Amino acid sequence: MRTIEERLQEHKQTSERMQAPSELEDRLRNALDRVPNKKKKNEVVLWFGLTAAALVLIVGTYQYPALTYYGNELFNMGLNASSFSEAATEGYGQEVNKSTTLDDGTLITVDRVIADDNSFSMYYTIKAPEGEIIRRDSSRFGVDHIEGFMTNSSPEEGSNDYSEDETVLHGIQRFESVSPLSRTLTVTFYEFQKNGERETYPISFKFDTSKAMKSLVKEKISKSVAVDQGEIYYESITASLTSTVIKGHIKMNEEWAQERQPWFFGTTLLYVNGIEMNFDFMESQYDAATGLSEFELGFDALPTDEIRSLELILKNSSGYHNQQETISLVSPSDQSIKMGSEKLWIRSVSKTDTGYDIVMATKQFTILENDNIFVQAGGTEVPVSSISSERPWDLNNGNILWERTYSFNTTDQPESLILGGYHYIKTYNKIVPIPFD
């Protein structure tokens, strides 16, 4: 198997032989501008048809890297990439070096951009005027969206650092992916003035799509793991220059459909060659049309060594214990009571002006079902009337439990506690191998 470095070198050599036609964007824009106004239901079909026609027209005339990119996307032919830091060191991505100077002499420079299947990343610097520094706690400057042909990408995440003398801020900003058909991109920086108003500073630069880095791995996973409330489906993996993204969805069992998703999604780990990758982010949203909760999991970029194995491990997720438990209240104490795989502590039972209070403790993420909590008192099942906020109970041995006060409106002393189901964090440790070429 070829290493990633070998594949990158091959991609770089191919890119250097390609030359982008200057009129490409204009021809595509003109083709789209000629679209007549139609009813909404036909807009998507018509737009796609004309765009595809324009692409076919140009493919017959040019050998252009943006079309190579689109062809890869349309026919699922991902290429490869290296890690973010190594790509910059080795000169991957596109050098920009476009600047703007503010009235006070501050210099903002776009140094380099790196485009890949997952995102668009920009290196930039902000240099203080001569003799001044940039305060580390300053929120004076920021980065807004980036625009171009068929592109209006919002910022997703960023980080920065300072030179030792604090005269230069070095930043990295990640955006949503940009269109590979853009020839010119404009990124907008902003500055908060002393009066609170925001001043914007656009910087435009040519975008060389031939230097866009494609995927190291772009594969369907199409595997699922059953959890107590449904199934977690892992659909695909896209490992690009800047990150590795796992996409999937959650399908709840019919009796839990109204919940939309488990109360605790859980922890999914990514292993490459048996080594755990750093977790970056998790995003999810509910799709009302499909009734599914779609998610994305982000991890660090894959290492540049030869990849021998890829696998996901669902370490934990929501668990549900639905067996009814009856617990005697004759002699409450701080001793634990086993319920399924979890434990419960009955700390006290005390009479109040309105009835009885029971103080119970559990692990922090063991959640009793409030609608299924009763006491047996005077031959009657009495439901809980109110529940306090949780508060810590320090065991003074390095462990902290969380207790709540459950109130019951009854004049009879409770004899037993009746509990329905409870939610908790359940360990699954299910392995999902990821196929790749």
Side-chain angles (χ1 to χ4, degrees):
M1 180 183 294
R2 290 176 300 163
T3 65
I4 296 172
E5 284 86 350
E6 291 171 338
R7 296 180 182 183
L8 281 169
Q9 186 62 30
E10 179 182 299
H11 166 68
K12 188 175 182 181
Q13 291 171 352
T14 302
S15 298
E16 289 171 350
R17 293 195 296 268
M18 295 180 177
Q19 183 175 1
S22 59
E23 69 272 25
L24 172 66
E25 181 176 325
D26 295 334
R27 295 186 65 178
L28 280 175
R29 189 183 297 279
N30 290 336
L32 292 176
D33 287 343
R34 290 195 295 270
V35 178
N37 291 328
K38 296 288 183 181
K39 293 181 180 180
K40 276 192 172 181
K41 65 179 181 180
N42 296 324
E43 285 179 356
V44 174
V45 175
L46 184 59
W47 182 91
F48 181 81
L50 287 173
T51 303
L55 287 172
V56 170
L57 171 66
I58 299 168
V59 166
T61 310
Y62 299 109
Q63 186 180 25
Y64 180 48
L67 299 179
T68 302
Y69 184 102
Y70 252 54
N72 287 339
E73 291 298 298
L74 292 173
F75 299 105
N76 197 25
M77 295 168 57
L79 296 179
N80 311 297
S82 182
S83 70
F84 199 2
S85 59
E86 290 180 356
T89 302
E90 296 297 326
Y92 297 117
Q94 177 189 343
E95 190 173 353
V96 177
N97 290 331
K98 288 289 185 178
S99 303
T100 186
T101 303
L102 310 191
D103 292 342
D104 66 352
T106 299
L107 182 68
I108 302 177
T109 303
V110 177
D111 299 307
R112 177 181 297 275
V113 295
I114 300 179
D116 60 41
D117 290 325
N118 285 335
S119 63
F120 181 90
S121 299
M122 176 185 72
Y123 289 99
Y124 66 93
T125 54
I126 300 178
K127 185 177 181 180
E130 191 69 30
E132 297 185 19
I133 65 172
I134 297 179
R135 287 177 43 235
R136 288 181 178 269
D137 61 347
S138 173
S139 57
R140 174 183 168 189
F141 296 101
V143 184
D144 210 330
H145 61 288
I146 192 165
E147 293 180 307
F149 179 63
M150 296 174 65
T151 295
N152 187 4
S153 299
S154 300
E156 293 187 326
E157 59 182 340
S159 61
N160 56 58
D161 200 358
Y162 297 81
S163 60
E164 289 186 6
D165 59 5
E166 297 188 355
T167 61
V168 181
L169 180 151
H170 300 277
I172 302 175
Q173 183 66 53
R174 185 178 295 172
F175 299 84
E176 298 168 338
S177 296
V178 304
S179 168
L181 298 175
S182 295
R183 286 194 299 112
T184 300
L185 295 174
T186 300
V187 61
T188 300
F189 291 83
Y190 62 84
E191 175 193 19
F192 284 107
Q193 306 291 322
K194 292 182 178 179
N195 60 7
E197 294 184 0
R198 197 174 83 156
E199 189 76 20
T200 58
Y201 307 102
I203 297 179
S204 297
F205 56 91
K206 295 296 183 182
F207 178 42
D208 186 352
T209 319
S210 69
K211 299 185 183 300
M213 308 300 292
K214 315 309 185 298
S215 298
L216 162 65
V217 174
K218 188 170 187 180
E219 299 286 352
K220 291 182 178 180
I221 301 175
S222 302
K223 295 181 181 179
S224 64
V225 175
V227 294
D228 286 358
Q229 293 178 283
E231 285 190 274
I232 299 177
Y233 288 82
Y234 298 101
E235 298 171 0
S236 65
I237 178 173
T238 301
S240 71
L241 180 67
T242 59
S243 63
T244 304
V245 175
I246 306 294
K247 292 185 178 181
H249 67 269
I250 302 172
K251 183 178 181 180
M252 301 294 286
N253 292 336
E254 186 174 349
E255 63 269 27
W256 295 103
Q258 74 280 1
E259 301 292 335
R260 296 188 176 182
Q261 63 182 23
W263 68 273
F264 176 66
F265 175 80
T267 304
T268 296
L269 307 176
L270 172 63
Y271 280 81
V272 181
N273 300 340
I275 300 174
E276 182 182 342
M277 302 297 293
N278 289 330
F279 178 78
D280 190 10
F281 68 86
M282 186 269 184
E283 297 176 354
S284 67
Q285 63 179 6
Y286 179 72
D287 188 336
T290 62
L292 303 175
S293 289
E294 300 174 345
F295 65 82
E296 291 188 6
L297 305 175
F299 299 87
D300 279 356
L302 298 185
T304 59
D305 299 331
E306 180 180 326
I307 296 179
R308 299 180 300 276
S309 66
L310 284 172
E311 62 184 16
L312 297 172
I313 297 180
L314 178 63
K315 181 180 179 181
N316 54 42
S317 187
S318 285
Y320 179 67
H321 178 79
N322 62 359
Q323 180 178 342
Q324 181 173 291
E325 304 280 351
T326 300
I327 302 168
S328 173
L329 297 176
V330 175
S331 56
S333 70
D334 286 345
Q335 298 300 311
S336 64
I337 300 170
K338 186 77 170 177
M339 292 197 319
S341 61
E342 296 295 289
K343 294 180 180 180
L344 174 76
W345 286 258
I346 307 293
R347 300 211 61 200
S348 65
V349 177
S350 58
K351 184 170 176 52
T352 66
D353 293 339
T354 58
Y356 282 84
D357 282 352
I358 300 177
V359 177
M360 291 185 279
T362 62
K363 293 179 182 178
Q364 185 173 15
F365 298 110
T366 299
I367 311 298
L368 301 178
E369 281 194 324
N370 297 342
D371 294 339
N372 288 315
I373 301 176
F374 304 85
V375 291
Q376 187 76 30
T380 303
E381 288 187 358
V382 181
V384 63
S385 59
S386 65
I387 304 172
S388 72
S389 300
E390 66 178 10
R391 53 192 181 270
W393 171 29
D394 193 340
L395 302 183
N396 297 317
N397 61 3
N399 295 313
I400 296 178
L401 299 176
W402 295 82
E403 65 179 23
R404 290 182 173 90
T405 299
Y406 297 79
S407 300
F408 300 86
N409 294 328
T410 177
T411 56
D412 296 313
Q413 183 171 350
E415 302 150 6
S416 59
L417 176 68
I418 303 172
L419 300 177
Y422 64 83
H423 299 270
Y424 66 107
I425 298 177
K426 182 176 179 178
T427 299
Y428 289 92
N429 283 333
K430 296 291 186 179
I431 298 175
V432 180
I434 300 175
F436 68 96
D437 294 328

